[in-house]
Amino acid sequence: LSLVGSEMCIRDRKRDFRMTDALGSRDKKRLWVLYREAIDQGKEPEEIHGLLFWQIKNMIIAAESKDASEAGLNPFVFRKAKESLKYYSKEDLCAVSSRMITVYHEARQGKIDFVLGLEKLLLTL
């Protein structure tokens, strides 16, 4: 039973990294498919939001840093974030970051459904 749980956890983590890769490459169709898969399998929208916000934050930090050390990021994470910058301008990243914060707070205040609010945001990338 614990082996099955471990395998599911590994699959979830792989999907999480595919999701951040899809966000980084601005592949909204793949991102949406992975998002829906995660939601349909019971992953909380707060967890997905945190993961995607982490990716956006890393991209902003990478845009403003010359190397991983200066950015304070793992070299692999820095390289992936830097590669994603060809798909986003700094203005795009700031706008997405701001919209993600808005979705989070509006969901917490009960103004929007978190699952749908985040889904709408992802489909507008």
Side-chain angles (χ1 to χ4, degrees):
L1 185 61
S2 67
L3 181 58
V4 172
S6 294
E7 289 175 10
M8 289 179 67
C9 183
I10 290 169
R11 267 199 310 260
D12 287 350
R13 290 182 55 99
K14 286 180 180 179
R15 182 189 53 232
D16 290 350
F17 288 118
R18 289 193 322 266
M19 229 185 309
T20 59
D21 287 347
L23 175 64
S25 65
R26 217 168 188 165
D27 184 345
K28 67 179 161 187
K29 181 180 178 183
R30 187 166 56 114
L31 178 58
W32 177 77
V33 167
L34 292 166
Y35 173 75
R36 286 306 322 167
E37 180 183 301
I39 290 296
D40 293 346
Q41 291 177 358
K43 193 163 192 121
E44 293 297 324
E46 291 86 350
E47 186 176 354
I48 298 168
H49 179 277
L51 176 74
L52 298 176
F53 191 74
W54 170 81
Q55 177 67 9
I56 293 294
K57 181 182 69 166
N58 288 342
M59 290 164 59
I60 292 169
I61 292 169
E64 297 175 345
S65 306
K66 66 179 191 252
D67 58 34
S69 179
E70 180 182 30
L73 296 173
N74 171 287
F76 177 77
V77 171
F78 179 78
R79 182 180 58 77
K80 295 287 280 182
K82 213 47 155 169
E83 288 172 4
S84 296
L85 295 176
K86 64 184 166 192
Y87 300 103
Y88 294 88
S89 68
K90 180 132 189 239
E91 293 78 24
D92 290 338
L93 291 172
C94 290
V96 172
S97 174
S98 178
R99 288 173 37 218
M100 290 196 76
I101 292 168
T102 299
V103 165
Y104 179 84
H105 286 291
E106 286 182 352
R108 293 292 99 215
Q109 294 168 357
K111 293 179 180 178
I112 64 168
D113 178 87
F114 205 167
V115 171
L116 293 177
L118 186 53
E119 185 170 5
K120 285 179 185 178
L121 186 152
L122 299 178
L123 289 171
T124 63
L125 293 177

